[in-house]
Amino acid sequence: MSPGDLPSRTAHVLGIIKSAILNGEFQPGTRLVENDLAERFGVSKTPVREALKALEGSGLVVIRPYTGTTVRELGQDEAIAIHDMRLLIEPEAVRRSVASGLDCSAAARALERSARADDGASRSAANRDFHRSLYAGCGNPLIVRTLDGLRDQTALVSVSSWGRAPTWEEEAREHAAILDRACAGKAEEAAELVRRHIEGFVARHLTEPATEPVSKPVSKPVTDR
C-alpha cells in the first residue's frame, strides 16, 4: 500500500515514522508503541495502527501478536538476499528502460538532490528515486512492483551501512556513470554498470564476516520522553 492509497492523516503519520526509521532515530529493534506514538503525534491510535501496517508491508517493521511492533532488524543474510534479488532483476529492467528511450531528467534531478542532502535519510530517498527513474520504464509492471517492494528495505540497509562506513561519495560517482550511459542510450552498458554498482555495495558493506546484525538494535520503546 502506498501513501497515496491512505487517508491523509495516516499518510502523514506514516511519513514521520518512516523518516525516523531511515534517519536512525528509530533504530532496528526499537519497539513502536501505538499509544505513545499517537500521543506524540497528536492523533488517535487508528492512523498510527494503519501506518504501522503499511510499514510492515514495505518490510520496515515487524508486527507480532502479544509482542507488538518493532523496527525491523535486518541480519546480514537478509540484507544480502535483498541485494541478490535486485541483481537478478534491476539491471535487465534498466536495460529495457534505456532501450525504449528513457527520459533522463528525473534521474538527473534525483542525483542533484542526493548531492545536496545533509543526512542519510534524505540521501537514501534521493538515491531510491534515482534507481526507480531508471527501471520504471521497463515496460513490465510486475518487475516494477517487485523492485518497488525492495526499495524501503534497501534503504534500511543503506542508511545502516553508511552509519558504519560512509561510502556514498563512491556510490554517487557510480550513479553519475550509470546516468551518463543511460542518457547516451547505451542500454547494455548502463545495465552492466547497474550490476557492478549493486555488487560493489554488497562487497563494501555486506560480505565481511559479521558478528552482529547489519544494525545494532536497541530495546527501549519509543515514548514521548
Side-chain angles (χ1 to χ4, degrees):
M1 181 178 293
S2 68
D5 299 323
L6 298 170
S8 59
R9 186 165 294 184
T10 300
H12 176 66
V13 171
L14 171 64
I16 295 174
I17 299 174
K18 182 175 179 178
S19 178
I21 292 172
L22 296 182
N23 68 21
E25 180 183 353
F26 295 169
Q27 298 179 24
T30 299
R31 289 175 55 216
L32 302 177
V33 182
E34 286 183 12
N35 285 335
D36 295 337
L37 291 171
E39 185 176 351
R40 175 173 178 157
F41 301 141
V43 298
S44 69
K45 290 200 304 181
T46 298
V48 172
R49 184 179 301 116
E50 293 303 313
L52 293 177
K53 288 179 181 177
L55 289 167
E56 181 186 35
S58 65
L60 288 183
V61 306
V62 177
I63 301 176
R64 294 188 176 91
Y66 311 112
T67 302
T69 303
T70 58
V71 179
R72 186 178 179 187
E73 179 186 340
L74 280 171
Q76 186 182 44
D77 289 346
E78 290 177 296
I80 290 175
I82 290 167
H83 286 76
D84 187 42
M85 178 71 83
R86 289 182 64 202
L87 274 171
L88 291 172
I89 303 173
E90 191 168 338
E92 174 61 15
V94 172
R95 187 194 68 77
R96 294 185 184 187
S97 291
V98 175
S100 66
L102 175 70
D103 179 352
C104 293
S105 57
R109 289 194 298 270
L111 283 196
E112 291 174 2
R113 285 171 41 222
S114 178
R116 294 193 305 267
D118 55 8
D119 62 82
S122 298
R123 183 177 297 108
S124 178
N127 287 347
R128 281 179 289 153
D129 288 346
F130 171 76
H131 279 271
R132 191 181 196 281
S133 69
L134 295 180
Y135 68 67
C138 69
N140 185 321
L142 181 57
I143 289 177
V144 174
R145 286 197 298 271
T146 300
L147 289 171
D148 281 352
L150 297 173
R151 293 173 76 210
D152 288 341
Q153 297 173 68
T154 299
L156 189 60
V157 175
S158 297
V159 173
S160 300
S161 298
W162 288 338
R164 297 189 308 275
T167 61
W168 56 76
E169 290 183 354
E170 183 172 359
E171 283 138 28
R173 289 192 292 271
E174 294 172 354
H175 284 165
I178 293 168
L179 182 61
D180 176 75
R181 295 294 81 199
C183 292
K186 304 294 185 180
E188 298 291 345
E189 294 177 24
E192 175 62 17
L193 289 178
V194 169
R195 182 186 64 79
R196 293 181 189 177
H197 172 63
I198 298 171
E199 288 178 339
F201 183 89
V202 171
R204 287 188 288 270
H205 293 284
L206 301 178
T207 57
E208 293 298 322
T211 58
E212 60 181 30
V214 171
S215 283
K216 186 177 180 180
V218 297
S219 57
K220 63 181 181 180
V222 173
T223 68
D224 291 336
R225 296 180 294 279

